[in-house]
Amino acid sequence: MIELKNVTYTYNKNEPSARVALNGVSLTLDDGDFLGLIGHTGSGKSTLTQIVAGLLPPPEGSVSVDGRDYADYKTAARELRKKVGLVFQYPEHQLFEETVYRDIAFGPKNQKLTEDEIDGRVREAARRVNIGGDLLDKSPFDLSGGQKRRVAIAGVVAMKPEVLILDEPTAGLDPEGRDELLSMLEELHGDWCKTVILVSHSMEDIARTVKTAAVMNNGRLVMNGPVEDIFSRGDELRSMGLNTPQISRIVDGLIAAGLPLSRRIFTVGAAADEIEKIVRGGR
Amino acid sequence: MLRDITLGQYYNTSSPLHEMDPRTKIIGVIVYMAVLFMASSLWEYMLAALFTALVIKISNVPMSFITRGLKPLVIIMCFTLALNLFMTGTGNELFRWWIFRITDDGVVLAVKMAVRLVFLVMGTSLLTLTTSPIALTGGIERLLSPLRRFGVPSHEIAMMMSIALRFIPTLMEETDKIIKAQTSRGADFESGNLIQRVKSMTPILVPLFVGAFRRAEELAMAMECRCYNGGDGRTSLRELKFRRVDAMALAAGILLVSAMIALKVLRNGGVI
Amino acid sequence: MIKAENLSFSYEADGAEVKVFENLNIEIEDGEFVAVLGHNGSGKSTFAKHLNAILLPKSGRVTVCGIDTADESRLLELRKNVGMVFQNPDNQIVATVVEEDVAFGLENLGVPRDEMRRRVDEALKTVRMYDYRKHAPHLLSGGQKQRVAIAGILAMEPRCIVLDEPTAMLDPIGRDEVMETIRRLNREKGITIVLITHYMDEAVKAGRCVVMDKGRIVMDDSPANIFPKVEEMRALGLDVPQATELVWELKRRGLDVETGALRSAGAIEAIVKMCGKIK
């Protein structure tokens, strides 16, 4: 469990170019959470993920890990780096080893695991991201774009982090690649990584993958709760430069036209179920 | 630390210095450097200081921005200071310990060199702070163009400089991101001996170079798509024209050099 | 405007020949807005690169604005008429000041300064970036950078703009900005637009959609005729808008609903109509 209390972070502190990226954010990540983090560019979501991953200089406010409060963030950051794996946007741009195998093994090696353990981790991670054993000896630079992305994610997954954060993992993928990646995350969650955070500005991706979500705007955490609650506040989201899935706009329109639908619908399947019920019910 | 380097950064504001023709400023900096190396007496340093202060004032660039550019130079400055302090043999001895000997001449020389270095950095950073990289490269291209006849690729040099300047911020951001990403994978860049540390840079350097090549390739394609065809037959949006500010700068430059020479003559004549 | 005849292209990898496409034929009229769809590796990006001679056909012919792309003597004329916008906004901006970057193409073409000034300002106003003309590009948002890139193309007064996944790296605000700009250029200036994308909500806005798969054109029709073929689209690894999917799903469940809606309003209307009939 990771708990942020009233965390504020300022870039270029004490300089004319100072910019507050996070402003009094409190957030609790419970074990087993599968959280969507939403916000447009510059809303502070990247800063938040980097603080959770222990990668930034100390912020103001307090951070506790597994119920332990840390007086200074630097000690907490060491704990966080052990616990949290962060997959940056376009992670394929960080590949560097001569073979796929060695690139995936980089993290586990840094964790000082034994050779056998490393081998097990690499193979397991590759399997989970759908990278076949025949690719392990290839150079990562010879793979296709989608494969590179998955190898890079495997590099973090192989460390078996308790908390896995992915920043826009589907950016630039085609619909098929995106679907494959999202179902891969669903399988990782709970089974391999206790907690998963999906950072995205695709509301459709959020709607179909996660149960709870947090919304960032101007460095503040403005919404946090079940996905259906968040998408039922469409006007507020739009005022923050965000969208709602097209389906929830259709549902809103149907409600306005007098259909007795619930506002808490945000997938095509659920909408079809409800409409079918109404029609067949003969109302 | 990387952000502290103001050399090569452009500070966007308006001032007579910003309006000046880049060629004037480049020549101005060369003259300024010459004057700095001419200075030797206290009065001459005061003159240089006065001139530097005046130019900074006119430039509208905040002083804090300029002093920040000096921070990365502290090490070099300490080194020159130490070198001059201990290596000067002449003059009266002030302090002695083991093989180290400090003389009053040494102190004066060390201080002079340090001051000179500070002024030098301030003056040259002012050139880039007040001249957009594109104007600067345009100026260099024009100044070098007479050398084209002798096979100096002035346009290509200018283009390369301009693209390098354009991509410095992008690559710095990228470096920062790669470091963080590899840190998140447990990479350790701080412990171990020198060889281990150099080795630990591989996960940063390889992606950085691969990325730079990828960018270069894409940029080259984009430039070709926009009809880039080398330097022949090109025109330029930015007009390079000597204006009144340039004439005034020229006058100021002549005044500075004359004042410096006058001070030297007066000193040699024993007046001051 | 654009005509590809029996276009074939292949490249070599590990000594083997990889065919990207073979005998591709397509014609695009002046002033059209065409979206080219297809999953990654379907050949759509390679096709785009043939339109301004970044790649030349292995066999067959591409003519754009009456210029054969293989005619080297008319290369500059071709590229002036067919502008290209790429995916990564960072890697197509050359200069360190916005207006200087917009001028880059004109400088290359040797346009006189006064004319250049006028065209740069006009292009910046068209993409609504005039207020940012003195800014450094690296401090702009992705959508703004992409609009600067479009202005740089626009200043050359092209007749056609090809955009290769221009919104793939942008957030929703940036995507809207860029799409709005593209549509306006097509509507108000009559510029032919070829938009390579895999966002279906963008393709819906085009006048015509061309779907590519394994180097072949498998569909070529208006969005209203393409997207209701939900199963075919899925088999090609593509999405359909949720509005289209919803009415299709209701129909599949045996409800008497009119299919073919592309946007929210259309789906709402069709469903309300169906409910009205029942009452």
Side-chain angles (χ1 to χ4, degrees), chain B residues 24 35 101 103 106 148 171 187 196 211 214-216 229 244:
Chain B
T24 315
V35 166
R101 194 171 152 257
T103 65
R148 241 191 131 73
L171 289 178
Q196 281 167 331
R214 190 188 59 242
R215 284 181 195 282
N229 212 0
R244 235 181 55 178

Side-chain angles (χ1 to χ4, degrees), chain C residues 118-173:
Chain C
R118 185 185 65 71
R119 278 158 71 168
V120 167
D121 289 348
E122 200 189 297
L124 280 169
K125 280 176 190 157
T126 308
V127 302
R128 306 204 169 127
M129 286 298 289
Y130 186 69
D131 292 342
Y132 293 87
R133 63 191 180 282
K134 299 282 184 197
H135 282 231
H138 73 271
L139 298 175
L140 301 177
S141 75
Q144 290 173 328
K145 281 183 213 169
Q146 218 45 326
R147 282 187 287 153
V148 169
I150 294 175
I153 301 295
L154 208 55
M156 295 199 286
E157 299 179 345
R159 287 172 56 197
C160 172
I161 300 182
V162 181
L163 304 103
D164 191 356
E165 298 190 32
T167 60
M169 297 178 80
L170 308 183
D171 67 4
I173 302 177

Side-chain angles (χ1 to χ4, degrees), chain B residues 166 215 226 234-235 238, chain C residues 90-91 100-101 108 111:
Chain B
R166 153 73 186 80
R215 284 181 195 282
R226 290 167 73 185
R234 276 190 110 227
T235 46
R238 189 170 291 265
Chain C
D90 271 322
N91 298 352
E100 304 268 0
D101 188 77
N108 293 333
V111 174

Side-chain angles (χ1 to χ4, degrees), chain B residues 59-164:
Chain B
S59 75
N60 263 344
V61 178
M63 195 58 201
S64 63
F65 214 83
I66 296 166
T67 44
R68 209 173 68 189
L70 292 171
K71 260 195 265 168
L73 284 160
V74 168
I75 300 168
I76 303 175
M77 242 143 56
C78 290
F79 183 70
T80 29
L81 207 67
L83 205 69
N84 284 299
L85 213 54
F86 296 123
M87 292 303 170
T88 313
T90 59
N92 301 319
E93 188 179 295
L94 297 175
F95 174 82
R96 181 174 204 134
W97 178 75
W98 192 37
I99 55 164
F100 297 110
R101 194 171 152 257
I102 294 177
T103 65
D104 52 357
D105 276 7
V107 172
V108 171
L109 198 64
V111 171
K112 274 183 185 171
M113 278 310 286
V115 170
R116 201 176 270 174
L117 206 63
V118 169
F119 284 174
L120 202 67
V121 174
M122 281 183 163
T124 40
S125 355
L126 261 185
L127 171 67
T128 51
L129 283 168
T130 62
T131 319
S132 76
I134 210 145
L136 190 65
T137 46
I140 292 172
E141 182 174 1
R142 295 292 188 83
L143 282 175
L144 288 178
S145 64
L147 299 176
R148 241 191 131 73
R149 232 170 294 166
F150 308 109
V152 177
S154 55
H155 167 74
E156 285 76 5
I157 292 174
M159 195 50 138
M160 264 166 19
M161 284 179 56
S162 142
I163 289 172

Side-chain angles (χ1 to χ4, degrees), chain A residues 122-139:
Chain A
V122 171
R123 289 180 196 282
E124 175 72 13
R127 189 185 66 75
R128 284 184 174 267
V129 301
N130 221 349
I131 288 290
D134 53 319
L135 292 179
L136 288 178
D137 292 324
K138 279 201 169 189
S139 159

Side-chain angles (χ1 to χ4, degrees), chain C residues 146-272:
Chain C
Q146 218 45 326
R147 282 187 287 153
V148 169
I150 294 175
I153 301 295
L154 208 55
M156 295 199 286
E157 299 179 345
R159 287 172 56 197
C160 172
I161 300 182
V162 181
L163 304 103
D164 191 356
E165 298 190 32
T167 60
M169 297 178 80
L170 308 183
D171 67 4
I173 302 177
R175 282 179 57 193
D176 286 348
E177 288 169 3
V178 170
M179 279 311 290
E180 189 268 336
T181 308
I182 296 172
R183 289 177 80 192
R184 203 148 36 78
L185 294 181
N186 178 252
R187 261 199 323 262
E188 290 170 14
K189 302 207 177 248
I191 296 173
T192 310
I193 301 285
V194 179
L195 172 70
I196 316 278
T197 184
H198 44 231
Y199 288 118
M200 302 308 137
D201 50 336
E202 291 174 2
V204 163
K205 290 168 181 156
R208 173 179 165 194
C209 289
V210 173
V211 182
M212 288 185 69
D213 184 49
K214 299 185 188 105
R216 286 178 309 121
I217 292 174
V218 288
M219 291 190 216
D220 182 355
D221 211 329
S222 69
N225 287 334
I226 279 187
F227 287 110
K229 296 175 181 165
V230 176
E231 276 160 325
E232 277 177 64
M233 291 296 277
R234 282 191 182 153
L236 293 168
L238 296 173
D239 275 344
V240 297
Q242 288 188 323
T244 317
E245 193 186 344
L246 178 62
V247 285
W248 176 83
E249 176 67 24
L250 291 172
K251 182 89 179 175
R252 197 183 62 86
R253 296 183 183 195
L255 299 183
D256 181 25
V257 65
E258 194 181 312
T259 56
L262 296 178
R263 298 183 175 80
S264 311
I268 294 168
E269 203 190 305
I271 294 167
V272 169

Side-chain angles (χ1 to χ4, degrees), chain A residues 12 15 50 86 89 103, chain B residues 3 68 177 180 184-185:
Chain A
N12 299 352
E15 272 177 43
Q50 289 178 21
L86 174 55
Q89 210 175 352
D103 211 290
Chain B
R3 274 186 301 108
R68 209 173 68 189
K177 190 176 143 187
K180 279 183 188 151
S184 187
R185 291 171 75 188

